[in-house]
Amino acid sequence: MNTADQYLKAIYLAQRIEDGPASTGTLADLLEVSPASVNEMIGKLEDRGLVDHEKYKGASLTDEGLGRAHDALQTYCIIERFLANVLEVEEYQDEARALESVIDDTVAERLDTIIDRPGECPDCFDPERDACERLEVGDGCAD
């Protein structure tokens, strides 16, 4: 997953949190970057047709951006579930955030064969908790 996909995932989650367009401040907080960095990347994503941005209102995903954000969140969920349930990493969320930018689709697909991921994933992801709402840490699988 590349940086653009991380931003798309963050916009997707921020839209769910805010129930509308994602504000620059919320995105900066989620990504732990400056608002200026967020504005710069939103401009690039808008140029690629992945985001619509209205000044003072926020960023919204286009259909293509939504698809990529969904895929990025699914990859993140796979990593998170693998770390929490298979490797039993205590700080699985921090590790998942660190790994999401370096795990490619092939590795994510292979990890997915090892874990017991719910079929509704990633729609069961809780942005407030920053984890799948069905993830039970340390129990192997969450159902």
Side-chain angles (χ1 to χ4, degrees):
M1 178 185 320
N2 60 37
T3 304
D5 289 333
Q6 288 175 296
Y7 271 82
L8 293 170
K9 181 186 84 158
I11 293 167
Y12 175 76
L13 294 175
Q15 284 184 269
R16 287 177 55 186
I17 291 168
E18 297 179 350
D19 196 26
S23 71
T24 301
T26 299
L27 292 172
D29 289 344
L30 286 172
L31 294 162
E32 298 177 353
V33 299
S34 71
S37 294
V38 171
N39 283 329
E40 181 180 347
M41 181 56 85
I42 285 175
K44 291 177 183 178
L45 295 172
E46 191 171 29
D47 290 345
R48 294 182 201 167
L50 300 170
V51 170
D52 290 324
H53 182 253
E54 274 191 70
K55 198 172 187 175
Y56 306 115
K57 290 198 176 188
S60 300
L61 296 168
T62 63
D63 288 342
E64 183 180 353
L66 181 61
R68 284 195 42 190
H70 195 267
D71 291 345
L73 181 58
Q74 183 165 296
T75 296
Y76 178 80
C77 290
I78 290 168
I79 296 166
E80 188 177 67
R81 186 171 290 274
F82 178 77
L83 291 169
N85 294 147
V86 177
L87 299 182
E88 297 182 359
V89 173
E90 191 171 315
E91 300 295 326
Y92 66 92
Q93 290 168 308
D94 293 337
E95 293 295 331
R97 281 191 290 275
L99 288 172
E100 72 178 320
S101 64
V102 295
I103 299 289
D104 67 16
D105 292 340
T106 302
V107 172
E109 288 170 12
R110 290 182 182 167
L111 291 176
D112 196 21
T113 65
I114 298 170
I115 63 171
D116 184 21
R117 183 171 53 89
E120 62 271 13
C121 181
D123 295 327
C124 55
F125 190 84
D126 180 355
E128 301 283 342
R129 192 176 137 210
D130 192 28
C132 173
E133 57 193 31
R134 296 183 59 203
L135 180 65
E136 296 173 18
V137 180
D139 266 356
C141 42
D143 279 329

